Amino acid sequence: MKKYIFLSLTAFLLFGCKPKTENNQTSTIGKDTLLSDHVGNSAICFDTLAHDFGKVIKDAKPECYFKYHNTGTEPLVLINVSAGCGCTVIDFPKTSLMPNAVDSIHVRFTGAKEGGDFIKTITVQSNASNGTQHLQIKGHQM
């Protein structure tokens, strides 16, 4: 098992995050299909891991999209996408993403009670062989 993980990680690092197409193909995994059937054969690659909103006016609700690719050979499933607090609203696809396809996670910052600098971390859990990913939004709320 350790050899398989090492080889998968080595291949991912060697070939990098280079999607082959821009197709946005999704499909729903059937009820009879287990997520474990696809673990280790999908890989998630984000275009960017951080977004800076800059200066944000209080009560504004800035939003952004984190575009990602399935660079693996099996469908990619986002199991859970969460933020550390209630001031970050996340909408993510509930369907699987086919190999070489592209999709995005929608993130909206609803603001904090007090102004000032903010940095929020979004945790993306999936069946990808490259494990849990962390995204970040930041800015200055005026």
Side-chain angles (χ1 to χ4, degrees), residues 34-101:
L34 299 174
L35 286 179
S36 60
D37 292 343
H38 301 291
V39 172
N41 295 319
S42 59
I44 191 167
C45 180
F46 284 92
D47 284 0
T48 182
L49 297 176
H51 180 81
D52 187 348
F53 288 116
K55 293 182 180 180
V56 176
I57 298 171
K58 189 165 177 72
D59 297 327
K61 298 189 181 358
E63 57 188 47
C64 66
Y65 291 86
F66 286 96
K67 187 176 174 182
Y68 64 96
H69 311 262
N70 179 0
T71 58
T73 59
E74 292 288 333
L76 171 70
V77 178
L78 299 184
I79 298 166
N80 189 36
V81 181
S82 60
C85 71
C87 61
T88 306
V89 178
I90 301 165
D91 184 32
F92 65 95
K94 311 300 189 280
T95 56
S96 62
L97 186 67
M98 300 309 290
N100 302 314

